[in-house]
Amino acid sequence: AVEDTLDARDTRWSKTALTWSVQSALPGVLLDTFRGIIRQAFASWSAVANLQFVEVQAGQADILIATGPIDGAQGTLAWSELPPSQPCHQRYDTGEKWSVDGTPGQSEVELLAVACHEIGHALGLQHASQGTTDLMAPFYSARILTPQPGDVRRIQALYGPPTAAPTPPEPQPPAGTPGTIVIRITGADRISVDGYRVTPIG
């Protein structure tokens, strides 16, 4: 097990709509693949809390995600600042061998597991207690890829549960545009409705 030694404090953003940007790639990982996994990690948090995330250009991002040397293989995998840092910086160690297919080898690190954990820090979550199976536990686990019940309770305490998307209103015809009225005619050959075209339907 690799311990994440970040000394986190429990904080939060003052808003629930956050922007992010990836600034560089990891060795052996295509930039588009890296961005896709980061996008998936953000989605796992927005699925359980009142949070929305949008990818933007680096100069406009609340959360800046970069790569670079930290301490080599099997050390600190990544680190993240916490809110209210503006912007909030995150770094992934280029000295690690990263797995992006969900089946890490013996010396590889599962990128999605680490990304979800680090984004939890960027949202303000400190480490969970040792011995838990939470995503935010201080030890990396390749098997924990999404927020667990303990993580969900904590993130919802900061931002609330996810809100349902509002149902869009039914489109209305522009004023003065003839509409359609369905009328079943019985015992008559014709009917006239001012301002509407009438089409017999049988």
Side-chain angles (χ1 to χ4, degrees):
V2 178
E3 184 174 5
D4 178 351
T5 58
L6 179 64
D7 181 19
R9 295 174 297 116
D10 194 19
T11 56
R12 60 155 288 160
W13 292 87
S14 60
K15 54 188 176 180
T16 59
L18 299 169
T19 56
W20 61 275
S21 179
V22 169
Q23 296 183 287
S24 53
L26 288 164
V29 180
L30 295 174
L31 180 59
D32 283 348
T33 301
F34 185 32
R35 289 171 58 236
I37 288 173
I38 296 296
R39 190 177 298 114
Q40 184 179 348
F42 275 113
S44 72
W45 286 106
S46 63
V48 298
N50 180 28
L51 289 162
Q52 300 82 42
F53 304 105
V54 177
E55 184 177 7
V56 297
Q57 297 296 319
Q60 305 167 343
D62 296 311
I63 301 171
L64 287 174
I65 299 165
T67 63
I70 298 178
D71 60 2
Q74 301 300 301
T76 300
L77 307 177
W79 58 259
S80 179
E81 294 177 330
L82 291 104
S85 298
Q86 182 65 36
C88 179
H89 291 88
Q90 219 172 77
R91 175 177 284 194
Y92 294 77
D93 192 2
T94 51
E96 300 290 344
K97 293 182 180 179
W98 295 94
S99 172
V100 296
D101 62 2
T103 56
Q106 188 172 3
S107 62
E108 293 181 318
V109 178
E110 176 55 49
L111 179 56
L112 180 58
V114 176
C116 284
H117 179 98
E118 295 305 326
I119 288 170
H121 284 316
L123 298 177
L125 293 183
Q126 61 181 331
H127 282 138
S129 301
Q130 291 193 25
T132 70
T133 57
D134 290 352
L135 174 66
M136 297 309 297
F139 288 91
Y140 157 79
S141 171
R143 298 185 303 275
I144 302 175
L145 305 177
T146 59
Q148 301 301 296
D151 306 303
V152 173
R153 286 191 297 272
R154 293 172 60 209
I155 199 70
Q156 289 186 359
L158 291 177
Y159 299 100
T163 56
T167 304
E170 290 292 325
Q172 299 295 322
T177 301
T180 300
I181 298 178
V182 176
I183 302 173
R184 189 168 297 279
I185 302 172
T186 303
D189 293 328
R190 296 192 183 110
I191 188 168
S192 174
V193 179
D194 290 342
Y196 291 91
R197 183 182 65 226
V198 178
T199 304
I201 58 173

